[in-house]
Amino acid sequence: MHSHYKTYIYVERLSEYIGSEVVLRGWVYDRTEKGKLQFIKLRDGTGIVQCVLFKPNVAEDVFERAKQLVQETSFGIRGTVRADERAPGGVEIDVNDLWIYHIPPEQYPITPKEHGIEFLMEHRHLWLRSQRQWAILRVRAAVVRAIREFFDANGFVLADSPILTPNACEGTSTLFETEYFDLGKAYLSQSGQLYAEASAMALGRVYTFGPTFRAERSKTRRHLTEFWMVEPEMAFFDLDDTMDLAEDLVEHIVQSVLRNCQRELAVLGRDTSKLERVRRPFYRMSYTEAVEYLQKRGVKLIRKNPDGTESQLDFPWGEDFGAPQEEAIMEQFDKPCIIHRYPAEVKAFYMKRDPADPRVVLAMDMLAPEGGGEIIGGSQREDDYDRLLERIRHENLPEDAFQWYLDLRKYGSVPHSGFGLGLERTVKWITGAEHIREVIPFPRMIYRIVP
RNA sequence: UCCGGCGUAGCUCAGUUGGUUAGAGCAUCUGACUGUUAAUCAGAGGGUCGCAGGUUCAAGUCCUGCCGCCGGAGCCA
């Protein structure tokens, strides 16, 4: 019988063991020596605690063995938990015994000092052990947990979409391609939405949650080629229902992180008062109102001319927003804002026209404050067979490949809507990370696939 | 893809108008210290100046090409 793991004690729960002797195992985060005193910071994945060895109080061999502990040595200790104001975290361990699993034969490359980003990215597998990365990845896990809690508690069924797909969701230029036995090419999914629509017709409210892939040659601090997205899809929801749902979801995620991740947010130095404000209702603006705002504020559109020069235009109705426009719009807001009803020309073929204004579609994006950018994109879907077919032909998409998708409009078509929330963009905003590469354990970017 | 920038010690960087044997801090090693939080103090070791070619009496420094990386734009979540 091996059920020992249930008795293991971790740093995060040490305050429950003050006065008791415990066994801890982990890695050396840092060590300093001061004559007859040694301080060893033990990192066990749940936190860091300082272990103290005072020469007169420990066995000679234990004190000598502890001197071998270079950074990232794996080791275990038996010691007494003591509350001490001088210790970071308020708790420390008086060591009674100490044993070593492995001493690094070479110097650990990442020191507690500064490093450049190229060096850190090449050592991503080790960088994960640093405090800041620890905090970010724990917030990421908390965000995922909050997302699942939210949907599971609100009548949604998890119905995952395939990752290997036979055709594009929105054009083929940005797809990763691979051979699929004798059946020709397969592509890595860039959205689970179309399949989620099929699932929603079977199960009512569904969500798909998994990795998606975009072979875009983007090189910015908010792009990855592999990223995670949660995509709810709801039968009988119109655009307003969907905007309400998106607000409820984001409010739940942020408030849940605030409830569960105070330690992590403190490590990150995040100003939590800004997150506290993320309560419904959020702000909302139509695309047309947003354009008027940009024109009034004098935010220009910079356009490249064929001769290579650039010209600045008053922002024209009909252009999609880029990062500069989104930032200008969000400057005025201290919580997220939904922009809805975009020009049909800049949006995807499956979005439903607004019956009240045929120039626009029933689409919406949610922009996060504090430079968080676009975290959600969604829409009410075109549910009319003929209009959808017309859009597919207009975009020159392969009609054959969309037969199954058109079937959804043939057999009991209903109004339905959904959206995609980018997990990494959301975590980047909540943690305040400068770059999206920090919020996924092993980022995949245009010029980096190692480690 | 386009625009801009950077490659010097294990790491982060300095290096003047081209001029002797290429420098600092941290890290590492040795020694001292009973409270360190990026400890402090004393000492030691550590270099293919990204790679290749060129100019020059002389190149880390100037020129050309290549490689690697970073930031931004577009596209998007």
Side-chain angles (χ1 to χ4, degrees), chain A residues 281-343:
Chain A
F282 297 171
Y283 299 100
R284 291 188 191 181
M285 259 177 142
S286 71
Y287 168 85
T288 302
E289 288 165 342
V291 169
E292 283 164 9
Y293 175 80
L294 291 174
Q295 290 170 344
K296 203 165 60 192
R297 288 282 314 277
V299 178
K300 304 289 183 182
L301 178 72
I302 294 166
R303 190 181 270 162
K304 280 248 165 62
N305 301 318
D307 62 2
T309 59
E310 288 179 349
S311 47
Q312 292 203 346
L313 312 171
D314 284 335
F315 197 91
W317 194 98
E319 279 295 323
D320 205 357
F321 299 140
Q325 286 79 37
E326 289 180 357
E327 274 164 38
I329 292 166
M330 288 310 292
E331 264 174 26
Q332 59 189 313
F333 297 130
D334 59 355
K335 54 184 173 180
C337 178
I338 291 178
I339 316 275
H340 53 86
R341 293 180 170 79
Y342 283 81

Side-chain angles (χ1 to χ4, degrees), chain A residues 147-161 192 195-209 230-235 237 245:
Chain A
I147 288 168
R148 293 194 182 280
E149 272 166 12
F150 177 84
F151 287 120
D152 293 344
N154 283 285
F156 285 74
V157 175
L158 176 69
D160 285 322
S161 296
Y195 292 97
E197 287 184 54
S199 301
M201 299 304 127
L203 296 156
R205 300 179 182 186
V206 301
Y207 68 106
T208 171
F209 195 0
V230 61
E231 295 172 279
E233 191 72 32
M234 299 74 66
F237 271 43
L245 181 79

Side-chain angles (χ1 to χ4, degrees), chain A residues 243 246-252 254 277-284 335-338 366-367 429:
Chain A
M243 292 193 288
E247 289 192 3
D248 281 334
L249 170 64
V250 170
E251 179 185 62
H252 175 77
V254 171
R277 266 178 243 141
V278 181
R279 289 283 187 186
R280 289 201 65 188
F282 297 171
Y283 299 100
R284 291 188 191 181
K335 54 184 173 180
C337 178
I338 291 178
M366 187 189 290
L367 308 181
W429 163 48

Side-chain angles (χ1 to χ4, degrees), chain A residues 90-159:
Chain A
V91 168
E92 63 183 18
I93 310 278
D94 283 324
V95 174
N96 302 321
D97 193 13
L98 180 148
W99 58 97
I100 289 167
Y101 293 97
H102 179 244
I103 298 173
E106 285 174 35
Q107 189 191 333
Y108 185 70
I110 300 177
T111 65
K113 294 278 185 154
E114 68 212 294
H115 296 286
I117 193 62
E118 182 179 359
F119 178 82
L120 289 171
M121 287 306 294
E122 266 158 26
H123 295 86
R124 181 61 176 170
H125 52 297
L126 302 176
W127 187 21
L128 295 177
R129 303 182 186 191
S130 304
Q131 270 280 74
R132 183 181 160 76
Q133 303 308 309
W134 169 89
I136 289 173
L137 293 182
R138 285 175 63 102
V139 171
R140 177 189 171 99
V143 168
V144 171
R145 202 183 318 133
I147 288 168
R148 293 194 182 280
E149 272 166 12
F150 177 84
F151 287 120
D152 293 344
N154 283 285
F156 285 74
V157 175
L158 176 69

Side-chain angles (χ1 to χ4, degrees), chain A residues 379-445:
Chain A
S379 68
Q380 185 167 341
R381 319 306 189 188
E382 182 54 72
D383 50 50
D384 181 83
Y385 186 98
D386 293 327
R387 277 200 295 265
L388 182 60
L389 183 58
E390 185 196 318
R391 289 288 291 155
I392 288 171
R393 286 174 176 164
H394 183 254
E395 304 266 326
N396 285 319
L397 295 168
E399 206 174 307
D400 287 353
F402 286 100
Q403 280 310 311
W404 70 265
Y405 186 64
L406 283 159
D407 267 0
L408 305 177
R409 280 72 178 169
K410 199 154 136 192
Y411 302 107
S413 188
V414 300
H416 64 289
S417 308
F419 62 82
L421 174 134
L423 175 64
E424 287 78 11
R425 292 226 180 137
T426 304
V427 176
K428 175 177 177 288
W429 163 48
I430 293 175
T431 56
E434 281 297 303
H435 200 298
I436 200 164
R437 67 188 158 213
E438 283 193 75
V439 306
I440 185 168
F442 295 97
R444 293 292 171 252
M445 293 173 298

